[in-house]
Amino acid sequence: MKDLQQCRVQQRNIAATVDKLNMCLPVLEMYSKLQVQMKSKRHYPALKTLEQLEHTYLPQVSHYRFCQVMVDNIPKLREEIKDVSMSDLKDFLESIRKHSERIGETAMKQAQQQRTLDNILSVQGKGGLAKRHRKCPSPEVNGTSPMSEQDSGILDVEDEEEEEEAPGTQDLVDFSPVYRCLHIYTVLGSRETFENYYRKQRRKQARLVLQPPSNMHETLDGYRKYFHQIVGFFVVEDHILHTTLGLVNRAYIDELWELALSKTMAALRTHSSYCSDPNLVLDLKNLIVHFADTLQGYGFPVNQLFDMLLEIRDQYSEILLKKWALLFRNILDADNYSPIPVSDEETYRKFIGQFPFQDSELEKQFPKKFPFSEFVPKVYCQIKEFIYACLKFSEDLHLSSTEVDDMIRKSTNLLLTRTLSNCLQNVIKRRNVGLTELVQIIINTTHLEVSCKYLEEFITNITGVLPETVHTAKLYGLTTFKDARQAAEEEIYTNLNQKIDQFLQLADYDWLAADSSTQASDYLLDLVAFLNSTFAVFTHLPGKVAQTACMSACKHLSTSLTQLLLEAEVKQITMGALQQFNQDVKECERFARSGPVPGFQGDTLQLAFIDLRQLLDLFIKWDWSTYLADYGQPTCKYLRVNPTTALILLEKMKDSSRKNNVFAQFRKNERDKQKLIETVAKQLRSLINSHHS
């Protein structure tokens, strides 16, 4: 019985031990599983195992010492999981910082492909602009598990067909550390700490991304890399927004986007202002549009970027104006200011293709000449090229055709009224410009003025906005060419007067000569010959310009001759010298009567010399009685003779009479003449004084 009792006790002990071991073994197995998971860095499953161990298995065997060791170890394991997952998150943040540029490049490339596809569909009539769709992984329903430990999707924005074009896109960034860390911190009750840390670190990264390199403006690649990094940053944040529950929210992203917009726009304004190459500005505009369209596809508002593009458009216009100013200067400097010769129909067709000009006579007979010089078709073609350049910038800015038309017209007006006008004025005001060149400029600007209506039609054709549309700006080309023509006309008048002055400087009168020659002075004959040849060139000018130039020249000649006669340096004038001077004035009158320029009525041109003629007639005929008797009356024969002018010349005659003949005072007739001169001089002074009083 004792042996049986002993056996039964042993059996009960064995059974109890087996039961206890059966209770302990799962705990040990779970702890072993936990260790394996920790070693293999499967921290989220390890955390789940830790929860089961703590709440399910350990309470059943809590009275064992090894269990107490495990219980004491659990907080340390939790902290270890927390630290390791945070380390993984830091590695992830560093990884996306490095890969932002590649992510952005891929996103922009896909947006461009989508846009190209949409344009093709639009052209084919199969639909308007398609909306950009993005495929984003959806968070799990319960929101407590990460997407997958092996989730390596970056954006999932590509269709399967496009994956071959951008290989490796989905392998750029592994988002699983974010998901794991988020869920681990959520389970550990530290989600808020995790969210704050993540957002703080991403804000720091955003500021780094938004800081442009100092030499960004030098090449388009500088801008491209800058945009790629920004797009990459926001594509990642957009992905996080759609694949996590609350790690980032819309308010946080909107705040970052506002910061990005202000920083990006400030950087673009600064760096684009350094640019002087219109092609680079145009490429930059296309890049900004691409950048804006890409981010708009992810739901970010980009209206401010398009508003800023309108500012850059104004800068682009200024750069174009500077470029075209140089083009116009080169064209005007290289021009020969001679009518274009046309030897055959091929040459004629060539120029007609460049400039709208019709002349039925020119078409029939060759060789002939176009009335304008080569700068007319060249300038006209460059104006059209400028309009094309303006149109290029307006593409893809989402502007209405009316806005595009208005922009082009305003820029073209600036080109005409400022750039081309200044270039023409500079040519006209050049020191060495000749009369022939000035005449040709007037003819050229007349034809360019006529061509403005064709430029209007050209703009209408490319924008589709009719000129009758309300608020449509008009071209100010008419004003530009009229102003240039007026300046050229004024310059012609000034130039002619300067030439006349140069001839008059050759005048060498012997004011003490006793007798006169039977013909005009050589210098005056040369001057008249010059005027005749000059006005022969004016045949192509508008009649009014030629007449004004001729009248201006004659008046200036008359005034200059009068000043020559009355200048203070001439102390004495004999009657013989006056007779010679009269011969020269007669030559001038003969020139005026010959009609050097058609269109004058009667003796209109001769009236330019009427003051000088009456003055000379008064002295040569010595008709003082008539002058003094009729002075002040409308029918006075010497109405144009001013008593002051007559007195000055009379004083010169008196001196010559007195000094040139020493014995004159002993002759009765000379004494009488001197008395007469004194009497006339006294009466002239009386007239002058009474006039002043």
Side-chain angles (χ1 to χ4, degrees), residues 428-429 433-443 484-500 530-531 534-535 537-538 541-542 544-553 556:
I428 291 166
K429 300 293 182 185
V433 68
L435 285 169
T436 308
E437 286 92 335
L438 290 169
V439 170
Q440 192 61 57
I441 287 172
I442 291 175
I443 295 167
R485 193 158 57 251
Q486 185 176 358
E489 290 169 9
E490 293 294 333
E491 198 65 25
I492 283 177
Y493 308 149
T494 305
N495 200 311
L496 263 178
N497 292 346
Q498 289 173 350
K499 291 287 185 184
I500 291 170
F530 163 76
L531 290 175
T534 298
F535 290 126
V537 179
F538 286 15
L541 283 177
K544 185 180 176 184
V545 177
Q547 290 168 18
T548 307
C550 190
M551 179 59 79
S552 169
H556 182 73

Side-chain angles (χ1 to χ4, degrees), residues 44 88 159 165 178-179 370 473-474 623 656 670 677 681:
Y44 182 75
D88 288 347
D159 293 332
E165 296 176 15
V178 178
Y179 303 137
F370 281 105
K474 303 297 180 186
D623 197 7
S656 68
E670 288 296 334
I677 289 175

Side-chain angles (χ1 to χ4, degrees), residues 218 432 463 580 685:
E218 293 177 1
N432 59 345
T463 62
Q580 180 60 50
R685 289 190 190 95

